[in-house]
Amino acid sequence: MRSFALVLILVFVFPDVATSQDFGAFGLPTLTGNTSPDGSIQYSLSLQVLALMTAITVIPSLILGMTSFTRIIIVLSILRQALGTQQTPPNQVLIAVALFLSFYIMSPVLSEIYQTALDPYLNGLVEANEAVLRASSIMHDFLLLNTRSETIRMFADLRGIQDFASPEDVPFSILLPSFITSELKTAFQIGFLLFLPFLVIDMVIASVLMSLGMMMLSPMLISLPFKLLLFVLVDGWAMTIGSLASTFQV
């Protein structure tokens, strides 16, 4: 574990040392880099695999924090709570719905990233740095479109930044926390609106049972079939998912 941590420190903090010929003295001679005649550095296969594994561990966080997944999964969880169905649909189903819906919403952005950045890089038309810049610019535009301006202003004030010359000047260090905070606020607002009709049904059922003297009978047990019936009659799943998809600007 110490050797692995030392490798990470050398690669990402001291790249000159990590790519030198003396790097084999640390017991891992395969983690090397060779400088080409044009000045570029060709890293060994071990370093490429290490970078790939590191990227794989970051991908779940990117899915949660830079896409529509957060808003969707929170709204679906609140909807399940409002229906009072406990663990139906189960968590696996909700996550699957959120993932597929996120892919549907993000497909224009992903297609643009592929056409603008990934495909030219795979064909050798642009360098890796240029491809990353193009992809990050596309994601920056998506995040900016779906983030509240007041949230960006709040995080900018916390950093001590008064104003930005243009929206493109907002750095990811401010845009990412602003986006996730904005998503949380929007998700709870949508969840509140979804909760209201089911809350009315619960109150009506509780009042009727109270007037009939059935105080020992659980109102949740009686209201559940009516809430399910209402949700099915209005095609609730299609309305909820369609409304969620329409709340994003792509």
Side-chain angles (χ1 to χ4, degrees), residues 10 20 28 61 103 124 146 161 181 190 205 234:
L10 288 174
S20 65
L28 294 170
S61 299
F103 179 76
N146 295 277
I161 302 174
T181 305
I190 298 175
I205 296 297
V234 299

Side-chain angles (χ1 to χ4, degrees), residues 72-198:
I72 296 170
I73 193 63
I74 291 177
V75 171
L76 293 180
S77 299
I78 294 177
L79 175 60
R80 183 177 64 180
Q81 185 70 24
L83 286 171
T85 54
Q86 302 300 324
Q87 294 298 320
T88 304
N91 292 330
Q92 294 86 345
V93 174
L94 291 184
I95 293 175
V97 172
L99 281 175
F100 290 134
L101 187 56
S102 298
F103 179 76
Y104 169 79
I105 294 172
M106 299 295 297
S107 58
V109 178
L110 298 177
S111 299
E112 187 177 359
I113 290 176
Y114 176 79
Q115 297 172 3
T116 306
L118 183 58
D119 187 54
Y121 171 71
L122 294 177
N123 293 326
L125 301 178
V126 297
E127 297 292 334
N129 293 338
E130 177 64 22
V132 171
L133 289 176
R134 292 182 181 183
S136 62
S137 176
I138 297 172
M139 284 302 304
H140 187 279
D141 294 339
F142 170 78
L143 297 176
L144 199 61
L145 281 174
N146 295 277
T147 305
R148 302 171 186 269
S149 57
E150 59 269 19
T151 308
I152 297 178
R153 194 177 301 112
M154 179 192 69
F155 280 98
D157 292 339
L158 293 175
R159 184 61 63 84
I161 302 174
Q162 297 300 324
D163 201 1
F164 298 100
S166 64
E168 290 74 17
D169 294 333
V170 180
F172 276 102
S173 60
I174 292 178
L175 185 57
L176 288 178
S178 302
F179 174 76
I180 195 70
T181 305
S182 179
E183 287 293 282
L184 290 174
K185 181 178 180 179
T186 304
F188 277 94
Q189 287 178 341
I190 298 175
F192 171 75
L193 296 177
L194 286 174
F195 217 108
L196 283 180
F198 301 109

Side-chain angles (χ1 to χ4, degrees), residues 222-242:
I222 304 300
S223 63
L224 179 58
F226 292 98
K227 289 190 289 187
L228 292 178
L229 178 63
L230 174 64
F231 197 66
V232 171
L233 289 177
V234 299
D235 198 7
W237 285 114
M239 290 181 59
T240 302
I241 293 177

